[in-house]
Amino acid sequence: MACSYPPTNATIALVTALQALRITGEVITTPYSFVATSHALLWNGIKPVFVDIDPHSLNLDPARIESAITPHTTAIMPVHCYGHPCDVNGIQRIADNYNLKIIYDAAHAFGVQDAGGSILRYGDLSVLSFHATKVFNTFEGGAIICPDEKTKVRIDQLKNFGHVGETTVVAPGINGKMSEFNAALGLLQLQHIDSALACRQKIDEAYRLKLAGIPGISCIQGSGECVANYAYFPILVHEDYFLTRDTLYNLMKEKGIHPRRYFYPLISQFPMYRGLSSAHPDNLPVALDISQKILCLPIYPDLEMSVVDVICQLIANPC
Ligand SMILES: *Cc1c(COP(=O)(O)O)cnc(C)c1O
């Protein structure tokens, strides 16, 4: 597996990955993600086609992909949401049948492995984010993971203005290079990544234990067969909880706790997307329902267990 020099950030990496594979027309993607996933398509003049998610993995539902394919479809861009792997084999089967490329937005998936190794080996390309909010960060940064040297050469050209040598330019490339300063920060962070992941795992386990049995609260389960990265701690706030999701969210903020509503609203609800026929709420009932219930609780390596206790006690007794 050849890793290109890391780009400026995952957004530029997604834009460049689409260009590296010469993707055009329509691309099938998930509405349940950070907006950069779809923006990368618009920046390439590509039409996003939204397909609903699976209610358990919260990733693109392969069973719904086929009916969204048209003669203009050239690729699928799924997201390993929260670092939980997509149904990579189901998606690959569809891509093979219809001759489509797959670019994984793997922004959340640093370090995640299945039985065969890194999940970044699936699809044609995978894109990581090293933004400050991600598990491994360079403050701003990202990477494109590609399986062959030829594609890597093209990616390296596209992120360096399209230059080949001093006097030749072969493509309208962009300045997508990572700065040396960001790279140096990343090298320092890499020294501590194993202990950071171990701390996250402990916090994840503590949350699951302490939140168990609270009526109306459920924790999202990752795939048991994976080496996880504990990038997020998503819970669902159901109708039978004491408060609405947003009342709980505001109450926590008042107490100085800062959960995030990843992902609310759906990408398909933003003004530049909502006119698309695939963005209609009737097409995306699962994603819409989850976006109204989701809350990601604080998780970071030096989050103290006493604070995890306070957060869980507040959720258990909010009134
Ligand atoms: C963070 C994120 C991005 C964008 O990453 P940047 O490095 O900030 O450009 C793209 N997709 C997803 C799913 C993300 O969470």
Side-chain angles (χ1 to χ4, degrees):
M1 192 183 295
C3 177
S4 147
Y5 279 108
T8 323
N9 54 55
T11 307
I12 295 283
L14 286 168
V15 169
T16 303
L18 289 159
Q19 291 184 5
L21 300 183
R22 299 183 169 82
I23 305 296
T24 57
E26 296 178 4
V27 170
I28 290 173
T29 189
T30 170
Y32 191 74
S33 180
F34 182 60
V35 72
T37 310
S38 289
H39 278 0
L41 297 171
L42 291 198
W43 274 86
N44 279 301
I46 295 165
K47 179 176 168 187
V49 175
F50 296 110
V51 163
D52 208 359
I53 57 172
D54 174 271
H56 304 289
S57 71
L58 310 187
N59 290 323
L60 208 49
D61 184 351
R64 295 168 194 262
I65 291 177
E66 219 163 332
S67 61
I69 295 174
T70 77
H72 305 291
T73 311
T74 56
I76 308 172
M77 198 156 78
V79 177
H80 298 299
C81 193
Y82 309 128
H84 300 157
C86 291
D87 178 353
V88 287
N89 296 320
I91 294 171
Q92 189 65 57
R93 266 195 299 277
I94 296 167
D96 289 344
N97 281 345
Y98 290 87
N99 196 21
L100 306 176
K101 300 282 190 197
I102 306 170
I103 297 176
Y104 279 104
D105 180 339
H108 301 174
F110 181 92
V112 176
Q113 296 177 32
D114 66 10
S118 169
I119 63 159
L120 303 175
R121 72 188 188 282
Y122 291 106
D124 294 280
L125 296 175
S126 290
V127 170
L128 289 169
S129 171
F130 302 152
H131 182 252
T133 55
K134 305 304 203 278
V135 162
F136 165 72
N137 83 85
T138 59
F139 286 16
E140 292 275 3
I144 303 175
I145 311 300
C146 75
D148 63 283
E149 199 56 38
K150 200 168 151 231
T151 313
K152 174 179 154 49
V153 168
R154 177 155 166 83
I155 292 167
D156 285 343
Q157 290 166 357
L158 285 171
K159 58 180 269 241
N160 188 31
F161 312 99
H163 261 299
V164 179
E166 259 181 75
T167 54
T168 311
V169 174
V170 296
I174 198 159
N175 183 354
K177 307 184 298 297
M178 174 182 277
S179 83
E180 282 76 0
F181 185 72
N182 291 108
L185 284 167
L187 288 174
L188 286 174
Q189 301 253 3
L190 265 185
Q191 297 173 5
H192 308 288
I193 189 69
D194 290 340
S195 66
L197 293 177
C199 290
R200 285 174 173 274
Q201 180 172 10
K202 287 214 182 73
I203 294 163
D204 180 286
E205 285 163 3
Y207 268 135
R208 283 182 201 281
L209 206 66
K210 292 172 203 291
L211 294 172
I214 301 177
I217 297 291
S218 63
C219 301
I220 305 285
Q221 297 293 339
S223 152
E225 293 128 51
C226 274
V227 177
N229 67 3
Y230 310 97
Y232 298 85
F233 196 84
I235 63 169
L236 295 178
V237 183
H238 300 274
E239 281 92 0
D240 55 339
Y241 182 65
F242 310 105
L243 310 172
T244 66
R245 187 272 310 270
D246 286 344
T247 314
L248 175 62
Y249 169 78
N250 288 321
L251 177 71
M252 292 178 90
K253 291 220 301 188
E254 273 168 36
K255 309 263 179 195
I257 302 160
H258 295 278
R260 299 301 297 263
R261 288 169 291 183
Y262 293 143
F263 289 100
Y264 166 84
L266 296 178
I267 298 176
S268 49
Q269 293 176 302
F270 292 121
M272 61 299 291
Y273 298 104
R274 63 181 171 223
L276 296 168
S277 58
S278 67
H280 198 282
D282 292 350
N283 185 46
L284 307 166
V286 179
L288 198 61
D289 180 55
I290 298 292
S291 76
Q292 288 160 357
K293 294 177 175 159
I294 198 76
L295 201 59
C296 287
L297 301 182
I299 184 164
Y300 47 90
D302 44 6
L303 178 61
E304 287 171 21
M305 282 301 165
S306 60
V307 179
V308 173
D309 272 341
V310 169
I311 294 171
C312 294
Q313 274 164 23
L314 179 64
I315 296 172
N317 304 294
C319 308

